[in-house]
Amino acid sequence: MQNWVANIKYIKGVGPAKAALLAKLNIFTVRDLLEHYPRRYEDRSQLKSVSLLTNDSVDTFQATIVNCQESKPRRGLTITKVTVQDKSGSAQLVWFNQPYVKKWFRPGVDLIVSGKVERRFGQIQISHPEVEVMDGSDLLHTGRIVPIYPACENIGQRWLRILIRQALDDFGAPGDFLSPDIISEFGLSERRLALNNIHFPPDQESLNEARKRLVFEELYLLQCGLLNLKMKSQKYGSGIKYAVDGERVTKMIAGLPFTLTSDQQEALNDIKVDMEDVVPMQRLIQGDVGSGKTVLAAIALAKAVENGYQGAMMAPTEILADQHYHTLAELMAPLGIRLAVLTGKLTRRIRQEVLSRLRDGLVDIVIGTHALIQDDVEFKQLGLVITDEQHRFGVRQRASFQAKGKMPDVLVMTATPIPRTMALTVYGDLDVSVIRELPPGRKPIKTYSVGSEMRQRVYNFIVKEVNAGRQAYVVCPLVDESEKFEAKSAIQMYEQMTATHFSNISCELVHGKMKSQEKDRVMSAFYAGDTKVLVATTVIEVGVNVPNASVMVIEGADRFGLAQLHQLRGRIGRGEHQSYCILLSDNENTETRERLDIMVKVDDGFELAEKDLLLRGPGQFFGMRQHGLPDLKIADIVHDTDILLEARKAAKQTVVDSEQFAIVQPILTERFGNYFGMIRNN
Ligand code: ADP
Ligand code: MG
């Protein structure tokens, strides 16, 4: 077996300079090169005769060189003209300022030519065509279905094709890691063939076969990783077996100011069954914003404490962690449960104190941010870990969180109602409970999409609502470059507003670059109702719960994805008041208008998520900054659903077959090790 992970510079024709360029394309090893899959293909396999070449179309034909001339009509301009002909007629190939092309061309040489045809005054001309000399070797650049690669400056398509062809010939593919059973059961092609055909397909059919095989193996590896993770945390059977509900849990549920919806009840039941089983819980609760997931977390945590264990809950932002702390404290403190917060803003001294109390078991429940998964955080007896808004954390972070305990139960909550295929990819290692129904009595939010000519009226409306006792959010446009730019534009906007529309109203600003203390002060004032209008960036996107807030204005709404708009909108409509969401945008693009109209019409998070995924693709779907998606080279989790389901089925067989898994594991680690972060040999 050839060394696939050999550094790319050992390939013939790649020196240090080219290697540095390839690095820009993330190509470091032979494997990276072979897995540098084409972005698209051009079908240059249909050969026309010269006389049938049509004006303005991109055609391919075979012809023989008649002559080659170079002229320099003026300084700085070199024109190379090559006349070619076949039986039916002749054509001119033209290059400007590429004098070196002429060295390839001698009369009598046969070429395959592809390019855009110009027919003028009975002449046929093609400027800067793709040409390939027919010398009996395989055609690479034309006369076939030709791969078009992601490329970059100074790396051309031709060079990449030649290099990849050579790597395929020299290194081929190592032995197939898919078992013969899987290959035959799922009708896959053999690996070596698939790799060859994904780059240089003889025809469309072979290309489809090749793609299917490679998509399958990529998703299969990923699923093997996820399912193995799940098995590993369950296989020892030495998880915690919690007792049936005792006094504390019963009291807590009885003391709630509402009865649980039937979806909540069902999800809670799933949690109980999992917790009371010796196999550790690995459960995802998927529920739209405002569907009431926090209370379920609280009940589960109380159950852990009741059984003598500690619980921990991780949220993606400080604002959210603080808010959870307050919500949970309200429910739990009366039951004598001891809570603490652990976030990045604690002073050293306080942090040390919290850590030591966690270690000594003097704290029952800790709520925090990423700060919870730092190395020096230790628990006496951690029995339940909960992550909220999971899509902001990766599998890896979840795993290190889990590793703080000994086979703790794991509960993951997400308000992003991700579609099923995506759930299987991102949360493939979890069981899923879904809360679809919202608590009763919620009035549907009224959503409007308007242009900035309405801004005056929109702000007047805010003032009116505030005078009626309500509160409002004004969300600033997304700025892509960085949080710093975003903060700057938010500050500008805030200053402008307080100087004009909101000069008589208490209005405050919150953004990601503010000091924690300042953020806390602003949020507390808004929670308390002292601040009426909160100008904010997306820091308020997740979790913030102020039932009295009834208006949200989203500036530059076209910059947000549907799922994100939905999250933001979920900050209002949480109380008994009629709520209004106003999307401001001057973008006249039809697609954008359609997207915003969908927001106006649809309030179901699942439906919006499906639409968003189709409209924007998975990368954008989770937002640019952080997401829990693995880096897929060829599979498309939106469209490859069928293959995904098959790959998962195959992976299920593999992970329970230790011999087969041993073959897959090194490849899995190589390919997705970073994603899982902790796949070890056990
Ligand atoms: P999520 O975290 O799912 O977005 P929360 O847990 O913050 O939602 O709940 C939103 C609001 O609904 C909270 O104020 C909560 O107290 C309330 N709530 C939760 N469950 C119910 C219920 N069954 N009936 C009425 N109100 C509820
Ligand atoms: Mg929540």
Side-chain angles (χ1 to χ4, degrees):
M1 190 167 89
Q2 299 278 3
N3 190 4
W4 256 42
V5 288
N7 192 303
I8 195 75
K9 64 176 182 254
Y10 298 115
I11 292 190
K12 208 169 75 194
V14 183
K18 288 290 188 192
L21 285 174
L22 286 169
K24 284 195 202 159
L25 296 172
N26 277 323
I27 298 174
F28 303 96
T29 63
V30 173
R31 175 193 207 98
D32 296 338
L33 181 68
L34 292 182
E35 291 179 353
H36 189 65
Y37 298 125
R39 174 162 52 86
R40 62 186 181 86
Y41 299 83
E42 259 176 45
D43 190 348
R44 297 177 189 160
S45 62
Q46 303 306 316
L47 301 184
K48 278 194 173 175
S49 53
V50 170
S51 63
L52 293 178
L53 297 178
T54 32
N55 188 38
D56 239 19
S57 72
V58 177
D59 284 335
T60 303
F61 60 96
Q62 179 177 347
T64 309
I65 298 181
V66 180
N67 68 50
C68 176
Q69 289 174 331
E70 188 180 275
S71 60
K72 297 188 176 177
R74 56 181 164 78
R75 230 178 112 82
L77 177 63
T78 308
I79 301 178
T80 312
K81 274 192 184 167
V82 175
T83 309
V84 296
Q85 67 174 27
D86 70 359
K87 284 196 212 99
S88 70
S90 65
Q92 299 255 310
L93 315 181
V94 183
W95 283 266
F96 300 96
N97 287 336
Q98 303 203 356
Y100 54 86
V101 298
K102 73 166 183 273
K103 70 169 185 262
W104 297 329
F105 303 132
R106 273 171 294 104
V109 168
D110 283 333
L111 297 178
I112 297 269
V113 182
S114 291
K116 185 149 180 211
V117 176
E118 296 162 59
R119 273 194 103 117
R120 242 184 263 137
F121 315 117
Q123 290 254 37
I124 298 174
Q125 179 173 313
I126 299 137
S127 305
H128 293 247
E130 278 280 352
V131 298
E132 187 155 11
V133 175
M134 307 260 297
D135 59 358
S137 65
D138 272 0
L139 290 173
L140 288 188
H141 313 295
T142 188
R144 60 169 311 130
I145 298 177
V146 178
I148 311 288
Y149 294 102
C152 67
E153 221 180 319
N154 296 326
I155 289 201
Q157 294 293 333
R158 297 179 72 95
W159 188 72
L160 270 175
R161 277 178 215 131
I162 293 167
L163 197 65
I164 288 173
R165 178 72 262 166
Q166 195 187 320
L168 281 168
D169 293 341
D170 293 355
F171 291 83
D176 210 321
F177 58 82
L178 290 184
S179 74
D181 287 351
I182 289 180
I183 290 191
S184 78
E185 181 178 346
F186 297 96
L188 303 169
S189 20
E190 186 258 329
R191 180 146 218 264
R192 189 185 184 103
L193 181 70
L195 262 184
N196 185 75
N197 289 355
I198 198 76
H199 291 290
F200 301 105
D203 50 46
Q204 189 61 44
E205 174 80 26
S206 325
L207 175 57
N208 296 346
E209 290 291 311
R211 186 174 182 282
K212 180 180 169 196
R213 151 78 209 214
L214 296 169
V215 167
F216 184 98
E217 79 172 45
E218 185 169 51
L219 295 174
Y220 166 81
L221 286 173
L222 185 61
Q223 289 299 327
C224 280
L226 289 164
L227 292 168
N228 178 54
L229 206 63
K230 176 175 186 179
M231 247 184 37
K232 248 176 34 189
S233 38
Q234 300 191 330
K235 101 174 135 191
Y236 306 106
S238 56
I240 304 157
K241 194 168 159 56
Y242 292 93
V244 292
D245 291 352
E247 199 193 321
R248 268 179 173 163
V249 172
T250 317
K251 245 190 182 164
M252 182 157 174
I253 297 176
L256 292 174
F258 44 73
T259 43
L260 298 175
T261 64
S262 62
D263 278 0
Q264 277 173 316
Q265 192 58 57
E266 245 171 73
L268 182 60
N269 225 31
D270 292 340
I271 294 173
K272 275 191 190 173
V273 169
D274 288 352
M275 286 182 79
E276 289 167 17
D277 193 294
V278 68
V279 175
M281 167 164 71
Q282 295 277 314
R283 182 165 295 279
L284 172 72
I285 303 284
Q286 220 183 8
D288 209 345
V289 274
S291 63
K293 295 182 293 296
T294 318
V295 65
L296 299 186
I299 297 168
L301 288 166
K303 191 173 175 80
V305 175
E306 185 173 85
N307 283 265
Y309 287 91
Q310 291 168 297
M313 180 154 160
M314 178 161 73
T317 63
E318 278 178 7
I319 291 179
L320 191 52
D322 284 343
Q323 184 183 284
H324 279 326
Y325 173 75
H326 290 298
T327 312
L328 294 181
E330 213 168 288
L331 291 166
M332 298 181 135
L335 302 171
I337 296 174
R338 298 159 299 178
L339 293 92
V341 184
L342 190 67
T343 54
K345 71 183 173 201
L346 299 188
T347 62
R348 233 181 109 78
R349 198 179 53 78
I350 297 188
R351 178 164 187 279
Q352 287 308 330
E353 194 181 313
V354 173
L355 291 189
S356 90
R357 293 177 50 192
L358 279 174
R359 215 164 19 233
D360 296 340
L362 299 175
V363 166
D364 301 310
I365 303 290
V366 62
I367 297 121
T369 52
H370 293 83
L372 283 174
I373 51 178
Q374 279 164 11
D375 284 343
D376 56 350
V377 180
E378 290 166 37
F379 293 81
K380 176 146 193 262
Q381 183 76 303
L382 181 62
L384 173 65
V385 300
I386 303 183
T387 42
D388 190 16
E389 313 295 347
Q390 163 71 15
H391 71 277
R392 303 243 159 172
F393 300 111
V395 169
R396 198 152 106 183
Q397 282 152 315
R398 188 182 345 130
S400 27
F401 191 24
Q402 196 175 334
K404 296 280 176 202
K406 216 171 130 198
M407 296 278 141
D409 282 24
V410 174
L411 189 63
V412 172
M413 307 196 297
T414 179
T416 309
I418 50 176
R420 177 172 156 73
T421 41
M422 197 168 237
L424 283 179
T425 310
V426 186
Y427 304 117
D429 56 334
L430 304 174
D431 300 310
V432 181
S433 306
V434 181
I435 308 180
R436 275 192 173 266
E437 160 194 31
L438 293 182
R442 296 271 170 84
K443 295 199 179 83
I445 298 167
K446 292 189 173 151
T447 301
Y448 304 89
S449 162
V450 301
S452 61
E453 72 282 356
M454 297 285 281
R455 184 171 278 116
Q456 187 63 43
R457 281 180 62 185
V458 169
Y459 289 154
N460 288 343
F461 178 68
I462 292 184
V463 174
K464 197 177 123 219
E465 282 285 295
V466 167
N467 288 336
R470 302 285 80 74
Q471 289 164 277
Y473 297 96
V474 177
V475 179
C476 304
L478 268 186
V479 180
D480 285 333
E481 290 88 342
S482 73
E483 258 198 340
K484 200 168 126 203
F485 279 103
E486 196 154 286
K488 205 171 137 198
S489 84
I491 293 167
Q492 264 173 13
M493 196 163 147
Y494 167 76
E495 281 171 353
Q496 203 184 351
M497 283 179 184
T498 43
T500 55
H501 313 286
F502 302 139
S503 52
N504 294 319
I505 291 180
S506 68
C507 173
E508 297 240 45
L509 170 70
V510 65
H511 61 71
K513 280 280 148 192
M514 263 158 68
K515 290 232 168 60
S516 300
Q517 266 181 344
E518 184 58 11
K519 233 190 272 177
D520 286 349
R521 190 193 58 71
V522 171
M523 289 313 294
S524 310
F526 192 66
Y527 286 132
D530 299 335
T531 297
K532 301 300 179 191
V533 177
L534 187 65
V535 178
T537 60
T538 50
V539 290
I540 58 145
E541 180 189 351
V542 286
V544 174
N545 185 26
V546 177
N548 188 46
S550 65
V551 189
M552 171 171 285
V553 175
I554 302 179
E555 295 275 351
D558 52 289
R559 298 191 169 211
F560 298 89
L562 291 179
Q564 203 175 10
L565 286 171
H566 183 66
Q567 284 292 317
L568 285 166
R569 182 168 63 179
R571 300 307 114 221
I572 55 172
R574 302 174 79 88
E576 77 241 52
H577 315 288
Q578 175 61 55
S579 292
Y580 307 88
C581 177
I582 298 144
L583 309 170
L584 274 171
S585 165
D586 283 333
N587 192 324
E588 289 298 332
N589 180 300
T590 330
E591 251 172 62
T592 309
R593 302 267 38 129
E594 274 172 22
R595 203 149 52 81
L596 296 179
D597 281 344
I598 293 176
M599 279 305 294
V600 172
K601 289 189 202 112
V602 179
D603 58 8
D604 179 87
F606 281 86
E607 200 180 327
L608 283 172
E610 298 271 0
K611 293 213 156 88
D612 205 21
L613 196 53
L614 285 173
L615 282 171
R616 302 200 310 158
Q620 298 271 328
F621 177 78
F622 275 148
M624 294 304 281
R625 288 190 184 141
Q626 274 172 314
H627 59 66
L629 278 176
D631 158 43
L632 296 173
K633 289 190 178 173
I634 189 165
D636 170 346
I637 46 175
V638 183
H639 297 107
D640 290 327
T641 321
D642 295 345
I643 306 182
L644 171 66
L645 295 176
E646 294 198 328
R648 187 167 166 88
K649 200 168 142 204
K652 274 187 180 156
Q653 298 167 15
T654 300
V655 292
V656 295
D657 173 346
S658 54
E659 216 170 287
Q660 180 55 28
F661 188 68
I663 298 175
V664 169
Q665 186 163 39
I667 296 153
L668 166 62
T669 310
E670 204 178 293
R671 177 67 183 84
F672 287 113
N674 267 341
Y675 180 61
F676 293 109
M678 54 168 308
I679 293 176
R680 285 186 222 103
N681 237 337
N682 56 8

